[in-house]
Amino acid sequence: MTDTRPTHVTPGLQAVAPGLPGRPWISQDWLDVVFVHWRVDVSAVAPLLPAGTRPDTMALDGTDDGVTTWVGLIAFRFEDTRFPPLGALGRTGSIGDFVEVNVRVYTVDEQGQHGVVFLSLDAGKLLPTLGARVATGLPYWWADAESRSGDGRVGYAMRRHGTHLRSMLDVRIGEALDEPGPLETFLTARWGMHVHRAGRTRFWPNEHDAWPLHRASVVSLRDDLVGAAGLPFGLTELEPDSVLYSPGVTTRFGRGR
């Protein structure tokens, strides 16, 4: 049974990655990243988490109130996916370039490792979708997905194949943050993901440079993915509690442990 007790954020959650414990097995550029977040009670998230993890908590003011966790709707472009152990043969070319929209929540495990759990990931190309499902066990779905940018705005639109589920998001990019505050660090500086597979929960570490972040505001938003993932219906009809944008980073993943 999932532990529903609230956890406390430790001072060790930092904006800079601690570094991978081994050689990266995959590297990707994440570009034009939009982070849209809502606050929710831990009781809305705890039943959805894998064994050995529980909701990570932080209040809107950046302090830990023990009862508030977060739901994220994240949209971005993948580019230049490569597998470093394979050298030049590990570059995927345009096959690895696509748009992704994911729903994620925030976790901490019994070892104190802070991470994310992906409740769904919709990707705009079939082969990467199938490959990611097989390699990681993550709940990837194939979707029609596209992005657009210009005039200080970034937009994403997707529809999951075989369903009526859609997500459409348009944001206006605001001022750059000289330094992220505690809440921005909590929401974006996540150096691993918790993945349940074959009866076990594993932590897959990642690293990248500190996020270059901007404030952002929602121009328009319509989303079915958050509710479909088991979170409160109507959540995405509320005004988000945090909207951020980043031009992007190069991310490297280690193997799960």
Side-chain angles (χ1 to χ4, degrees), residues 160-202:
R160 186 179 295 175
H161 283 289
T163 76
H164 297 294
L165 299 178
R166 297 175 180 269
S167 188
M168 292 175 285
L169 173 63
D170 186 5
V171 304
R172 189 179 305 279
I173 302 168
E175 64 182 4
L177 295 178
D178 292 332
E179 185 174 350
L183 180 58
E184 289 77 33
T185 298
F186 178 91
L187 295 174
T188 64
R190 291 283 156 167
W191 309 119
M193 58 183 176
H194 290 107
V195 181
H196 189 74
R197 189 179 192 187
R200 300 180 62 186
T201 300
R202 291 178 170 83

Side-chain angles (χ1 to χ4, degrees), residues 94-146:
S94 62
I95 294 175
D97 298 347
F98 58 92
V99 166
E100 176 179 304
V101 180
N102 65 60
V103 177
R104 74 186 198 183
V105 292
Y106 298 90
T107 48
V108 63
D109 60 25
E110 295 164 350
Q111 290 73 45
Q113 298 173 117
H114 297 262
V116 302
V117 164
F118 291 102
L119 301 182
S120 68
L121 309 96
D122 285 80
K125 283 190 178 177
L126 178 58
L127 285 180
T129 301
L130 295 176
R133 266 190 174 265
V134 171
T136 66
L138 289 170
Y140 263 96
W141 300 89
W142 181 32
D144 283 326
E146 61 182 15

Side-chain angles (χ1 to χ4, degrees), residues 28-29 77-81 92-98 125 128:
Q28 302 161 322
D29 292 348
R77 294 186 293 111
F78 271 106
E79 285 193 8
D80 198 16
T81 299
T92 62
S94 62
I95 294 175
D97 298 347
F98 58 92
K125 283 190 178 177

Side-chain angles (χ1 to χ4, degrees), residues 2-225:
T2 301
D3 188 346
T4 61
R5 294 172 299 171
T7 185
H8 295 280
V9 176
T10 67
L13 193 61
Q14 301 294 330
V16 178
L20 293 179
R23 187 178 181 185
W25 72 278
I26 190 170
S27 177
Q28 302 161 322
D29 292 348
W30 296 351
L31 305 176
D32 283 333
V33 187
V34 176
F35 303 88
V36 182
H37 284 95
W38 294 265
R39 275 193 309 161
V40 296
D41 189 272
V42 295
S43 63
V45 170
L48 306 175
L49 301 185
T53 68
R54 53 190 181 187
D56 210 348
T57 63
M58 180 165 279
L60 188 60
D61 62 3
T63 62
D64 179 17
D65 63 359
V67 298
T68 299
T69 190
W70 294 78
V71 171
L73 181 67
I74 318 298
F76 60 100
R77 294 186 293 111
F78 271 106
E79 285 193 8
D80 198 16
T81 299
R82 56 251 186 226
F83 296 87
L86 300 180
L89 297 177
R91 291 191 173 273
T92 62
S94 62
I95 294 175
D97 298 347
F98 58 92
V99 166
E100 176 179 304
V101 180
N102 65 60
V103 177
R104 74 186 198 183
V105 292
Y106 298 90
T107 48
V108 63
D109 60 25
E110 295 164 350
Q111 290 73 45
Q113 298 173 117
H114 297 262
V116 302
V117 164
F118 291 102
L119 301 182
S120 68
L121 309 96
D122 285 80
K125 283 190 178 177
L126 178 58
L127 285 180
T129 301
L130 295 176
R133 266 190 174 265
V134 171
T136 66
L138 289 170
Y140 263 96
W141 300 89
W142 181 32
D144 283 326
E146 61 182 15
S147 66
R148 59 189 180 278
S149 61
D151 298 324
R153 290 165 59 173
V154 176
Y156 290 92
M158 59 74 55
R159 179 182 60 82
R160 186 179 295 175
H161 283 289
T163 76
H164 297 294
L165 299 178
R166 297 175 180 269
S167 188
M168 292 175 285
L169 173 63
D170 186 5
V171 304
R172 189 179 305 279
I173 302 168
E175 64 182 4
L177 295 178
D178 292 332
E179 185 174 350
L183 180 58
E184 289 77 33
T185 298
F186 178 91
L187 295 174
T188 64
R190 291 283 156 167
W191 309 119
M193 58 183 176
H194 290 107
V195 181
H196 189 74
R197 189 179 192 187
R200 300 180 62 186
T201 300
R202 291 178 170 83
F203 183 77
W204 294 71
N206 71 71
E207 67 172 7
H208 54 71
D209 291 339
W211 286 103
L213 292 173
H214 293 246
R215 298 286 184 200
S217 57
V218 170
V219 177
S220 63
L221 170 63
R222 174 196 167 185
D223 176 76
D224 302 322
L225 302 180

